[in-house]
Amino acid sequence: VSSYRSYDGVTVSDISVADYIAIKGKCAVWLPHTAGRYAAKRFRKAQCPIVERLVNSLMMHGRNSGKKLMAVRIVKHTFDLIHIMTKKNPIQVYVNAVMNAGPREDSTRIGSAGVARRQAVDVSPLRRVNVAIHLMTTGARAACFRSLKTIAECLADEIVYASEDKNNSYAIKKKDETERVAKANR
């Protein structure tokens, strides 16, 4: 294991999502390709290594579906870039980004008698993790589309910005927008 990509010393400071970010024990895998059946049962995906969930989330948009080795390679390059950019453990940077990028409040549609209105609801910790990973990969995909930057560079930028809670990150922008809309619908 290359020393900077090790799981020791990686902590989850946000206790609400600590149970849903799998970095301890057998989830500290060197290769994010465990071939586990994490979709077989509800909440099983919380046991999926958090880096592998990023890999799986990259395999989206028809032409990339099923190409897990390609996604693993992208994540490897991304973590190399994050290590160069921040001089920190990239797994810790990524965990911080997941904690920052998930919206804490959302709005849902309450429809009764043909009148639909939005109602603000709290977001469960598992959904916060899911949405954070999804927003980061979506933002990276949008940023690298028709640009000279590779997907790994865009994903590295996205994760670093999200971990620092900066507004240049697509995920942080979306999260702020979601929470603003929810606040208006309280």
Side-chain angles (χ1 to χ4, degrees):
V1 177
S2 42
S3 59
Y4 71 82
R5 231 184 295 132
S6 74
Y7 282 82
D8 33 286
V10 177
T11 56
V12 183
S13 55
D14 187 343
I15 56 163
S16 65
V17 293
D19 296 342
Y20 297 98
I21 294 183
I23 48 174
K24 299 261 185 309
K26 65 177 185 203
C27 292
V29 289
W30 185 68
L31 186 73
H33 193 321
T34 58
R37 293 171 44 224
Y38 295 110
K41 208 164 172 197
R42 191 179 177 200
F43 296 124
R44 177 92 46 90
K45 61 180 171 187
Q47 266 93 57
C48 182
I50 192 72
V51 181
E52 185 172 356
R53 299 204 52 195
L54 178 69
V55 169
N56 293 342
S57 183
L58 276 172
M59 295 192 296
M60 297 275 180
H61 275 256
R63 58 184 187 173
N64 300 326
S65 54
K67 300 182 184 174
K68 191 156 186 177
L69 294 180
M70 181 174 84
V72 168
R73 201 193 66 232
I74 291 170
V75 169
K76 181 175 173 294
H77 290 323
T78 300
F79 280 7
D80 292 345
L81 288 166
I82 291 174
H83 181 63
I84 293 164
M85 284 155 71
T86 61
K87 300 282 183 285
K88 294 187 193 123
N89 183 344
I91 294 176
Q92 181 65 65
V93 174
Y94 169 56
V95 167
N96 293 349
V98 170
M99 287 189 293
N100 288 340
R104 292 178 290 264
E105 194 178 24
D106 201 348
S107 47
T108 183
R109 231 174 121 258
I110 304 255
S112 57
V115 184
R117 47 184 277 272
R118 313 279 293 190
Q119 173 70 40
V121 290
D122 295 334
V123 178
S124 73
L126 181 60
R127 179 160 167 81
R128 274 182 63 187
V129 174
N130 298 347
V131 171
I133 295 171
H134 175 255
L135 286 178
M136 285 192 288
T137 51
T138 309
R141 202 177 289 119
C144 79
F145 189 60
R146 293 206 177 139
S147 88
L148 292 171
K149 279 174 127 179
T150 63
I151 178 85
E153 288 168 15
C154 293
L155 189 58
D157 287 345
E158 182 71 37
I159 290 173
V160 169
Y161 289 144
S163 70
E164 293 165 358
D165 230 336
K166 288 214 179 109
N167 248 344
N168 333 21
S169 156
Y170 173 89
I172 298 290
K173 264 194 282 216
K174 280 285 188 197
K175 170 199 150 185
D176 290 345
E177 183 190 333
T178 306
E179 289 182 351
R180 203 170 52 244
V181 170
K183 195 173 178 197
N185 292 321
R186 270 184 194 160

